[in-house]
Amino acid sequence: MASVPESAPAAFTRAGQDAVTFSRRVAGTALARSERHRNENRELLKEFGRRRLSGAAEPAPSALRGAARRFRAARGLPMPAEPVAPEPVPLRPEIPPEQTRTSEEDEDFSQSRIMSRDS
């Protein structure tokens, strides 16, 4: 028996129902993923809070870099190059504070001293 072509209104109705079904499935998947992430975050917050209260040290930068590397690899994200440590800034030499004069007798206004200072 030959198949009868679907009428335009029936095709439109079917396409609308398919779209609604698809959108419900996508929304359900997104909600489940969001709930899973919220639960994981809640557990991480509990663990972090316990470590902070117990006085445990912060994770080392190498451990954090490793976790970031695993996260990016699991999701197929590009791996940026690790930043190079900046050169340390040289310290300025200590400049001794100027000697404060205790009396006017310390001031030398002789011609030779003034002339040598200006040159």
Side-chain angles (χ1 to χ4, degrees), residues 60-76:
S62 60
L64 294 175
R65 270 192 229 94
R69 200 175 297 118
R70 287 188 304 277
F71 175 85
R72 288 178 169 277
R75 286 156 182 80

Side-chain angles (χ1 to χ4, degrees), residues 86-107:
E87 292 291 323
V89 178
L91 298 175
R92 291 192 316 185
E94 289 291 323
I95 300 173
E98 288 188 26
Q99 298 290 333
T100 57
R101 295 188 177 149
T102 57
S103 68
E104 290 184 26
E105 293 174 4
D106 293 339
E107 294 184 21

Side-chain angles (χ1 to χ4, degrees), residues 2 12-14 22 25 31 34-36 39 45 49 54 57 68 81-82 86 91 94 107-108 113:
F12 182 73
T13 301
R14 186 181 49 75
F22 178 76
R25 187 178 316 130
L31 287 173
S34 177
E35 182 64 27
R36 187 179 71 240
N39 288 337
L45 284 172
S54 68
E82 289 189 19
L91 298 175
E94 289 291 323
E107 294 184 21
D108 182 10
R113 178 145 175 147

